[in-house]
Amino acid sequence: MRYGIVLLVTIVIAGCSGSQSENVELNAARELWRQSNIKNYQFKCHRLQGGSFIWKPERVEVINGEFASIKTLDGMPQYNSYIACREFGTVEAMFDLLQSKHNANAKFDVAYDSQFGFPTEARIGKTLGTDASYIIKISEFTITDPKL
């Protein structure tokens, strides 16, 4: 019985430290992003939900730190007319979403760009790997000059 209590305490402490480490990692990545001071950029966003890509990849453009445009890479409408990546329209919006998920104790797993800190892949959901979870993949990130 004594060993069972020690094991339970260890599991609870390990669970708490994981949540704290996620927040530390999130804050460090966000600070790296802010220090980069990138205001004009574009990226490819692809959303996976329920185990398959059900939305076409989209190109997102940000000008002066504000969402500017989003379109599918082939120029055609999404299959279900939903703009899959709109809620991730800026890197700051991605960080806000991840922070809200952390604050709500939701499960998520994130990979960050080592140079600029933006999320490159986020797995978010109540139970990772189920239909309620989704994955956002960010690739082809480029810094742009709006004057061109």
Side-chain angles (χ1 to χ4, degrees), residues 5 15 28 34-35 37-38 41 51 59-60 80 90-92 94 98 124 127 130 132 141 143:
I5 292 171
R34 286 182 177 159
Q35 288 177 1
N37 200 31
I38 299 169
Y41 54 93
R59 170 81 47 212
V60 178
N80 56 6
T90 67
V91 170
E92 276 298 323
M94 289 181 229
L98 293 171
I124 302 168
T127 306
T130 66
F141 180 88
I143 299 170

Side-chain angles (χ1 to χ4, degrees), residues 75-148:
M76 301 300 290
Q78 283 289 8
Y79 299 117
N80 56 6
S81 74
Y82 175 76
I83 300 173
C85 295
R86 177 62 194 253
E87 63 188 299
F88 320 105
T90 67
V91 170
E92 276 298 323
M94 289 181 229
F95 281 121
D96 290 344
L97 173 73
L98 293 171
Q99 187 65 58
S100 72
K101 297 298 183 183
H102 173 77
N103 293 347
N105 293 320
K107 293 184 184 291
F108 66 92
D109 183 32
V110 185
Y112 299 96
D113 178 78
S114 60
Q115 184 177 5
F116 299 119
F118 62 87
T120 56
E121 184 171 322
R123 298 172 181 266
I124 302 168
K126 295 181 181 184
T127 306
L128 296 178
T130 66
D131 286 349
S133 68
Y134 58 95
I135 300 170
I136 299 299
K137 292 186 178 194
I138 304 301
S139 61
E140 300 177 23
F141 180 88
T142 55
I143 299 170
T144 59
D145 184 351
K147 296 173 193 146
L148 296 178

Side-chain angles (χ1 to χ4, degrees), residues 27-44:
N27 289 336
R30 188 174 220 163
E31 184 58 28
L32 181 59
W33 171 253
R34 286 182 177 159
Q35 288 177 1
S36 73
N37 200 31
I38 299 169
K39 301 293 183 201
N40 303 299
Y41 54 93
Q42 60 181 349
F43 57 88
K44 176 179 155 185

